[in-house]
């Protein structure tokens, strides 16, 4: 059928567009420096990926591994704790009536519209008053706050945790906090995965805050580290292959996380976006 | 409910987030506003610097700062073109995935989504190489058009942003499409509506909330452009230190002139809020009809 082949053609062209740069990165990272500039960019020459990786991981006392570890700590830690806090707050806003509830919700919602980058500079000024810039915490603590997560958690809690169930739990003598952790959080689980992934990606991508906050190379997340190498490529050409190989390594954790959490994520996204 | 309110439980749920929100959201906003109202003066040329209240002096400078408003104009132009292209493509792909015309949906969904796993900085580095005339696999293109020249570099960056975010936006719209109950389509089928007609008059109106959501996030993202231009500065001399509003904030604060940078931040945050709020209002008014 004509419309079928037209549809498949569009999908094919788009697949090409989205995947060729990643293919190029993989092929490029597998080449030696001279092969990289002298052989066809989209096909393998002598397979040198192992050598490149070993150089990457040993360059300057393995600073790259340190960056990866930092990124995982900043991102995984902040997303995990941040999701829990956002879920608790959103849940309370959905399930309890108390004075100031709507005000709190509206202020938090306003927070969604305030771009995170607008906060980076004042955060730096505040942390420097406390002599706390250039520390792990100066990047980690601000990354915990996720107003959009509260908004999503409220929607999901309203949709997926029935009041009758909470009443039943109360009659059974279960405390409110215990009910949240044993019953409600399980019902909200697909939503929590969604919030976690959104938060994870946001922190993983955050660039301005570490750029402004950190001077010590050993505290850098991998994005800032690769950026700093890339700015030196013109003076130190040997860094180019390290930047490419590092870029390839840096996208692996997120791709793995996506593959693992895909199932939850799709179901969660669906319920969030229609409301 | 007539029962006693579980005050401790509510505090337990709300306080941890609330305190962090105050400390790392509200306090910085307040502090930025305060800083923007001060200025640094010196006694004599080399005397010690001290901060004094300056009223709206910094804001006056913001409004007289040509490069800053040029950069606002630049990102607005960027957004007017890039956001519709990106979301149009995302919508088209979501509709195609949902139309039943496509085989191998799971593969395409994943393939389109992979770029979202690439952090903005890394994506910009990759594309920077892909655009460079010597290293690019597309030398036929990069030798004819210098994608890193002053004329084209903005659109070269638009391509990077589009590449990263189409799959993400597609997934949000696609999830909304999946949530439409099948009965809705029955009537259309009985009326003999084809797939294009169904998409246009049933599917798109029903996923409008998802499209509005993605548009608001895209507007916010556009005004905040930072990582891409910052990275492109190493590839192209056409990207100045005031190329986007956020770059202006960054370079002003590294002079350092924190008071002026704070004023830039406040104006930018206000502009962003206003623009996304206005967009929400306009689309909501459309819904009430």
């Amino acid at each position: 059928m004509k419309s079928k082949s037209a549809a498949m053609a569009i999908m094919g062209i788009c697949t090409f567009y989205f995947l060729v740069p990643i293919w190029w990165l993989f092929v490029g990272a597998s080449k030696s420096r001279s092969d990289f500039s002298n052989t066809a960019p989209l096909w393998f020459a002598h397979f040198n990926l192992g050598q490149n990786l070993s150089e990457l991981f040993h360059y300057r006392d393995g600073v790259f591994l340190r960056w990866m570890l930092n990124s995982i700590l900043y991102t995984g830690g902040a997303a995990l704790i941040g999701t829990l806090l956002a879920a608790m707050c959103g849940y309370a806003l959905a399930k309890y009536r108390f004075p100031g509830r709507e005000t709190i919700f509206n202020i938090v919602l306003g927070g969604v519209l305030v771009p995170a980058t607008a906060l980076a500079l004042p955060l730096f000024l505040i942390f420097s008053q406390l002599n706390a810039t250039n520390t792990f915490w100066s990047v980690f603590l601000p990354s915990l706050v996720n107003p959009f997560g509260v908004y999503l958690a409220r929607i999901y809690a309203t949709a997926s945790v029935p009041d009758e169930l909470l009443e039943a739990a109360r009659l059974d003598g279960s405390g409110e906090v215990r009910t949240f952790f044993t019953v409600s959080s399980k019902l909200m689980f697909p939503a929590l995965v969604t919030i976690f992934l959104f938060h994870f990606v946001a922190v993983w991508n955050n660039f301005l805050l570490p750029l402004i906050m950190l001077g010590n190379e050993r505290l850098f997340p991998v994005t800032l580290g690769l950026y700093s190498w890339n700015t030196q490529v013109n003076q130190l050409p040997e860094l180019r292959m390290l930047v490419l190989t590092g870029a390839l390594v840096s996208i692996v954790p997120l791709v793995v996380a996506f593959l693992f959490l895909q199932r939850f994520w799709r179901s969660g996204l669906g319920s969030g976006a229609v409301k | 409910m007539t029962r006693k309110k579980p005050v401790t439980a509510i505090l337990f749920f709300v306080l941890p987030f609330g305190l962090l929100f105050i400390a790392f959201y509200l306090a910085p906003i307040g502090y930025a506003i305060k800083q923007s109202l001060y200025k640094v003066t010196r006694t004599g040329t080399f005397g010690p610097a001290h901060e004094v209240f300056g009223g709206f002096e910094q804001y006056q400078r913001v409004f007289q700062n040509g490069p800053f408003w040029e950069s606002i104009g630049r990102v607005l132009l960027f957004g007017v073109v890039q956001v519709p292209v990106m979301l149009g493509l995302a919508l088209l792909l979501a509709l195609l995935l949902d139309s039943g015309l496509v085989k191998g949906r799971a593969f395409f969904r994943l393939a389109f989504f992979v770029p979202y796993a690439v952090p903005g900085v890394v994506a910009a580095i990759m594309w920077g190489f892909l655009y460079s005339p010597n290293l690019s696999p597309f030398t036929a293109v990069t030798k004819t058009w210098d994608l890193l020249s002053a004329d084209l570099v903005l659109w070269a960056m638009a391509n990077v942003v589009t590449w990263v975010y189409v799959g993400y936006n597609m997934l949000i719209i696609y999830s909304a499409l999946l949530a439409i109950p099948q009965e809705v389509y029955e009537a259309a089928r009985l009326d003999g509506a084809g797939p294009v007609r169904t998409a246009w008059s049933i599917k798109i109106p029903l996923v409008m909330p998802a499209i509005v959501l993605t548009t608001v996030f895209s507007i916010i993202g556009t005004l905040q452009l930072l990582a891409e231009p910052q990275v492109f500065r190493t590839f192209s001399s056409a990207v100045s230190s005031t190329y986007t509003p956020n770059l202006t904030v960054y370079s002003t604060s590294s002079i350092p002139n924190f008071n002026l940078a704070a004023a830039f931040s406040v104006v930018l945050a206000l502009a962003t809020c206003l623009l996304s709020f206005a967009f929400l209002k306009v689309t909501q008014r459309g819904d009430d009809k």
Side-chain angles (χ1 to χ4, degrees), chain A residues 118-134 138 142 208-215, chain B residues 28 31 253-254 256 258:
Chain A
L119 301 172
L121 174 71
L123 278 170
F124 169 79
L125 298 176
I126 291 178
F127 273 88
S128 60
Q129 299 245 307
L130 305 169
N131 278 326
T133 57
N134 204 11
S138 64
L208 185 58
L209 187 66
L211 177 70
I212 286 190
M213 217 47 115
L214 301 175
Chain B
Y31 194 73
S253 65
S254 32
F258 293 130

Side-chain angles (χ1 to χ4, degrees), chain A residues 1 3-4 7-8 10-12 14-22 24-25 36-37 41-42 82 85-86 88-89 91-93 95-99 104 107-108 110-119 121-127 129 141-142 144-148 150-151 167 170 176-177 180-181 197-198 201-202 204-205 207-208 211-212 223-224 226-227 230-234 240 243-244 247-248 250-251 254-255 258-259 262 265-266 269-275, chain B residues 1 3 5-6 8-10 12-14 16-18 20-21 23-29 31-32 35 89 92-93 96-97 99-104 106-122 125-127 129-130 134-138 158-160 162-168 171-176 178-180 195 206 209-210 213 216-217 220 224 226-227 230-231 234-235 246 249-250 253 258 261-262 265 268-269 272-273 276-277 280:
Chain A
M1 230 173 82
S3 50
K4 250 191 191 141
M8 285 308 279
I10 296 176
M11 298 312 256
C14 287
T15 307
F16 194 75
Y17 170 64
F18 289 119
L19 293 188
V20 162
I22 295 191
W24 169 86
L25 181 66
F36 179 71
S37 34
L42 291 177
L85 301 184
M88 294 192 327
C89 186
Y91 174 77
L93 292 173
K95 288 291 151 193
Y96 300 100
R97 300 182 168 280
F98 54 92
I104 293 178
I107 293 175
V108 173
V112 175
L113 297 185
V114 176
T117 50
L119 301 172
L121 174 71
L123 278 170
F124 169 79
L125 298 176
I126 291 178
F127 273 88
Q129 299 245 307
L141 288 176
L144 289 173
V145 191
N146 176 12
F148 187 57
V150 174
Y151 166 79
E167 271 311 307
R170 275 176 204 129
E176 303 292 329
V177 174
F180 172 76
F181 284 104
L197 275 174
F198 271 132
V201 173
W204 189 259
N205 278 326
F207 177 62
L208 185 58
L211 177 70
I212 286 190
T223 45
L224 187 55
L226 285 175
Y227 164 77
N230 191 53
T231 53
Q232 300 164 37
V233 159
N234 290 334
R240 177 177 290 153
V243 169
L244 282 175
L248 181 68
S250 78
I251 63 181
L254 220 54
V255 172
F258 281 161
L259 287 175
Q262 230 208 127
W265 196 7
R266 262 184 286 130
L269 262 179
S271 43
V274 243
K275 303 261 152 50
Chain B
M1 274 184 283
R3 43 191 301 286
K5 281 193 195 101
T8 15
I10 295 176
F12 175 83
F13 287 135
V14 177
F17 177 85
L20 286 172
F21 185 76
F24 300 117
Y25 248 84
L26 299 184
I29 294 172
Y31 194 73
Q35 280 294 315
L89 189 57
L92 174 71
L93 294 177
L96 282 175
L97 275 181
S99 68
L101 292 170
V102 170
K103 284 207 186 79
F107 167 77
F108 288 122
R109 203 171 42 211
L110 196 64
F112 298 168
F113 192 62
V114 167
Y116 187 57
V118 182
V121 177
V122 175
I125 292 177
M126 276 171 63
W127 280 97
F129 281 110
L130 289 172
N134 306 320
L135 302 167
S136 173
F138 313 109
N159 176 55
V160 178
T162 308
W163 181 77
V164 172
Y165 287 101
V166 163
Y168 162 81
L171 208 65
I172 291 182
I173 299 171
Y174 180 60
S175 309
L178 288 183
I180 299 174
L206 282 174
L213 184 78
V216 170
F217 284 145
I220 297 178
Q224 307 313 313
L226 174 84
Q230 178 80 356
V231 169
T234 43
F235 293 106
N246 253 331
V249 173
Y250 177 65
S253 65
F258 293 130
S265 272
L268 181 60
T272 311
C273 278
S276 19
F277 191 72
L280 281 174

Side-chain angles (χ1 to χ4, degrees), chain A residues 46-77:
Chain A
H46 174 64
F47 197 78
N48 202 39
L49 182 61
Q51 178 69 32
N52 285 347
L53 284 175
S54 136
E55 248 177 69
L56 173 71
F57 291 143
H58 289 106
Y59 189 75
R60 290 226 292 262
D61 303 331
V63 73
F64 182 82
L65 270 182
R66 172 88 197 218
W67 292 341
M68 285 299 283
L69 209 67
N70 287 343
S71 269
I72 290 168
L73 275 181
Y74 286 126
T75 317

